[in-house]
Amino acid sequence: MDVSDPLSLAFDQARAAAALGEVPVGAVVVREGEILGLAHNRTLLDRDPTAHAEILAIRQAAAKIGSERLIGCDLYVTLEPCAMCAGAISFARLRRVYFSAADPKGGAVDFGPRFFHQPTCHHAPEVYGGLRESEAAELLRDFFKERR
């Protein structure tokens, strides 16, 4: 699959997650314009606390290329990755991470443990946050408003 706007695909995935009652987060792994992984949160559907969009997209990409190292790959995600996902990003050796909304409560890139700045982090990707942030924040706000 080839696409010129992977963040829009991540947003499509986030909306699909919301429609299923999952927290609306979508992720896409891209290398040289090719989509290698595309996923949304599935923790409830899969009964799996590790089924975050980033983890699922990374697993798909690794399976597709036949390697646990995603050298030259970029991740697009609609929410700042948590500590678990940041660890997976580091171990996968992703080149860049682009995320939309910051997550002051659960994020681990710009908030919380700032995973990629820790001396124990083996690989730190380039990180670009705040892309289409208001759109992602609105999607999350609307989702949680319906549940309160």
Side-chain angles (χ1 to χ4, degrees):
M1 183 186 301
D2 184 56
V3 70
S4 60
D5 185 8
L7 192 54
S8 286
L9 282 179
F11 272 97
D12 291 344
Q13 288 292 304
R15 285 186 282 279
L20 295 169
E22 296 278 356
V23 174
V25 178
V28 178
V29 175
V30 178
R31 182 173 67 186
E32 296 174 5
E34 181 184 3
I35 302 300
L36 300 177
L38 179 70
H40 58 73
N41 276 2
R42 295 186 51 94
T43 58
L44 300 173
L45 289 169
D46 293 356
R47 301 287 188 252
D48 179 356
T50 70
H52 289 198
E54 301 96 319
I55 298 292
L56 298 174
I58 287 169
R59 287 177 184 161
Q60 287 176 14
K64 185 164 187 170
I65 67 171
S67 175
E68 74 283 3
R69 301 279 192 244
L70 301 179
I71 306 300
C73 294
D74 301 329
L75 174 73
Y76 293 81
V77 62
T78 59
L79 183 65
E80 177 183 354
C82 69
M84 175 183 67
C85 293
I89 289 163
S90 178
F91 284 124
R93 304 297 195 263
L94 284 161
R95 178 177 57 181
R96 294 184 195 106
V97 174
Y98 300 91
F99 71 87
S100 298
D103 186 357
K105 289 184 180 179
V109 176
D110 284 345
F111 288 94
R114 297 178 45 97
F115 189 90
F116 302 130
H117 296 282
Q118 298 303 315
T120 54
C121 179
H122 297 289
H123 167 77
E126 295 175 32
V127 176
Y128 303 92
L131 307 170
R132 294 169 62 175
E133 183 171 16
S134 60
E135 181 181 352
E138 182 179 358
L139 184 62
L140 288 158
R141 241 187 336 272
D142 291 348
F143 176 81
F144 286 111
K145 183 191 291 183
E146 291 176 13
R147 272 136 190 84
R148 291 187 182 122

